[in-house]
Amino acid sequence: MTMRKLGLSIYPDHSEFEEDKKYLELGAHYGFTRLFMSMLEVTGSVEETTTNYQKIVGIAKDLGYQVIIDVAPRIFSQLGVSYEDLTYFHELGVDGIRLDQGFDGSTEAMLSYNPFGLIIELNMSNNVDYLNNILSYQANEPFIYGCHNFYPQVGTALPYDFFMECSQRFKQFGIHSAAFVASQVGNIGPWNVNDGLPTLEVDRRLPIEVQAKHLFASNQIDDVIIGNAYASESELKALSEIDRYQVQFNLDFVPEASDIEKTVVLKPQHFRRGDMNDLVIRSTMPRVTYKEVANPPHDNKETFQRGDIVVGNDDFGVYKNELQIVLQPHEDKRKNKVGRIKEEELLLLDFIKPWSKFKFLGE
């Protein structure tokens, strides 16, 4: 697995240079290191386009971004660029080109041997044998990346199961992958419809950091890119603070949660027991670490619901101070409800498999 990165998108044909520059500077401040630029809607002359793109790419490179530009066959002809010669894109200063539409496999494989070391990024949002075809032509694999589409129209983004099927075609070969999340305030994209620009439909209206957690938790995606511009500073900050390598749940503690219970929740590196069950996710090490610490009963007479965090109380014998996340409603007076995972993050529970690592954030 490669290190996971966060990325931004800009649309120079729909935005002002100074605003783009400020956005890239802000992103760099929050640790964003990847930039997606769309060239699907170029309208100016070749000279104007070249000048505009070179200028912003130069800024991005100075700030440490890896820059990949989205192109389609008609853009090649519009710019007078040949598939056999990628000098134009090299001179723009980009690190790679994303092929919005595919060719015949042989062409993509040949492109991956371009003398400039440009990355050739493929569209991942099709569940066909596209990648295997390209690799069968002996493509230069380290220079082949994958990136899902985004979907400006509400209701048209990928369903989760289909996203997984498409992604696994790339994951099985270890191809570097990316997908998009949607800012809830950005209103700039490639087209004149912009209901957010996510890859997954279920993510469209979620807080941006939950969308990113969802993509990373799938274990299919290396880089998460904000599809629309401009995300707010609070969104950039929230994304920069997530754990990209394990699920970190945000929770609200109940008023009666004690100091020992908050310690049990927040301090350990939790992992789900390997011998799993359907009722609860069990993190059993806290009961060993804190076996000598008293934990009187409270909030223990209700029906616990999916997403509740419970800790064994003094009446639970050897299981005192064991942490559990409730998966199915049940009652048990030997457990104290100490908090609850935020509603928008309940979908992340499906990713906690046997031995999965996880943590909590709460106050």
Side-chain angles (χ1 to χ4, degrees):
M1 180 190 289
T2 58
M3 302 299 284
R4 293 174 170 176
K5 294 184 288 203
L6 296 173
L8 305 176
S9 303
I10 57 170
Y11 302 89
D13 292 291
H14 301 289
S15 56
E16 299 298 323
F17 170 78
E18 287 302 327
E19 291 302 308
D20 285 345
K21 180 172 179 283
K22 280 197 299 189
Y23 187 49
L24 294 182
E25 289 170 344
L26 189 60
H29 172 73
Y30 284 107
F32 286 68
T33 57
R34 177 154 177 183
L35 179 62
F36 170 89
M37 291 174 68
S38 175
M39 221 182 198
L40 299 184
E41 60 283 358
V42 169
T43 53
S45 70
V46 175
E47 291 74 21
E48 288 171 337
T49 298
T50 303
T51 301
N52 290 342
Y53 277 76
Q54 273 180 336
K55 192 174 173 187
I56 194 65
V57 169
I59 294 293
K61 295 301 294 178
D62 287 344
L63 289 167
Y65 287 92
Q66 178 189 61
V67 183
I68 296 181
I69 198 162
D70 202 23
V71 294
R74 64 181 175 78
I75 296 300
F76 277 83
S77 55
Q78 207 173 319
L79 296 171
V81 177
S82 159
Y83 300 124
E84 285 79 44
D85 184 1
L86 300 184
T87 303
Y88 178 81
F89 297 106
H90 171 63
E91 290 178 350
L92 277 187
V94 301
D95 295 285
I97 59 173
R98 179 181 184 272
L99 305 176
D100 188 59
Q101 292 174 258
F103 302 106
D104 58 1
S106 175
T107 301
E108 288 92 335
M110 192 63 77
L111 285 172
S112 70
Y113 286 94
N114 70 84
F116 312 110
L118 292 174
I119 293 162
I120 305 301
E121 191 167 66
L122 312 175
N123 180 354
M124 290 177 66
S125 297
N126 292 295
N127 191 18
V128 294
D129 216 12
Y130 175 49
L131 174 64
N132 207 37
N133 182 37
I134 293 168
L135 297 182
S136 72
Y137 283 102
Q138 301 301 310
N140 197 4
E141 285 190 35
F143 295 88
I144 298 288
Y145 277 32
C147 179
H148 275 282
N149 277 348
F150 50 47
Y151 297 88
Q153 182 190 156
V154 68
T156 64
L158 302 184
Y160 182 76
D161 288 348
F162 183 76
F163 159 82
M164 287 296 288
E165 290 168 8
C166 298
S167 301
Q168 284 162 357
R169 289 181 176 273
F170 284 72
K171 185 71 171 177
Q172 68 177 323
F173 292 107
I175 302 294
H176 194 93
S177 62
F180 292 93
V181 294
S183 162
Q184 300 306 319
V185 297
N187 58 9
I188 302 174
W191 315 124
N192 57 5
V193 172
N194 191 350
D195 304 330
L197 292 175
T199 291
L200 284 170
E201 189 59 41
V202 70
D203 287 349
R204 190 179 296 272
R205 303 301 184 203
L206 291 174
I208 199 165
E209 68 276 16
V210 181
Q211 298 177 54
K213 287 181 181 185
H214 192 203
L215 289 175
F216 283 138
S218 75
N219 212 29
Q220 303 296 313
I221 298 302
D222 298 305
D223 300 342
V224 167
I225 305 169
I226 304 173
N228 45 348
Y230 301 107
S232 66
E233 181 168 1
S234 63
E235 287 181 317
L236 298 182
K237 183 174 187 290
L239 273 183
S240 74
E241 292 172 349
I242 68 170
D243 190 319
R244 303 174 201 176
Y245 301 96
Q246 65 177 314
V247 174
Q248 192 165 40
F249 293 104
N250 275 289
L251 81 150
D252 295 309
F253 283 111
V254 302
E256 296 300 313
S258 65
D259 287 345
I260 180 56
E261 288 170 331
K262 289 183 177 180
T263 298
V264 163
V265 172
L266 297 177
K267 188 173 180 182
Q269 170 62 72
H270 295 289
F271 63 90
R272 187 177 188 175
R273 274 181 69 120
D275 50 349
M276 59 164 283
N277 65 83
D278 291 332
L279 185 70
V280 292
I281 293 168
R282 299 176 65 192
S283 174
T284 56
M285 287 308 294
R287 80 181 198 216
V288 177
T289 308
Y290 304 107
K291 67 180 180 180
E292 305 298 337
V293 185
N295 191 1
H298 69 85
D299 294 275
N300 63 331
K301 296 174 183 174
E302 61 189 89
T303 301
F304 304 129
Q305 302 297 326
R306 182 177 173 84
D308 285 347
I309 313 296
V310 298
V311 174
N313 61 39
D314 286 338
D315 296 332
F316 215 2
V318 69
Y319 301 113
K320 179 183 70 173
N321 290 332
E322 173 171 306
L323 179 138
Q324 300 178 357
I325 307 175
V326 176
L327 297 178
Q328 294 180 354
H330 67 282
E331 297 177 14
D332 191 333
K333 292 178 182 176
R334 299 168 300 180
K335 303 176 186 179
N336 297 344
K337 177 178 173 179
V338 301
R340 178 165 179 78
I341 293 169
K342 291 187 180 293
E343 290 299 313
E344 64 267 21
E345 294 194 355
L346 292 180
L347 82 170
L348 299 175
L349 288 172
D350 292 337
F351 298 95
I352 308 301
K353 310 295 185 187
W355 302 110
S356 289
K357 313 304 184 281
F358 60 94
K359 299 199 94 170
F360 295 99
L361 281 176
E363 297 176 5

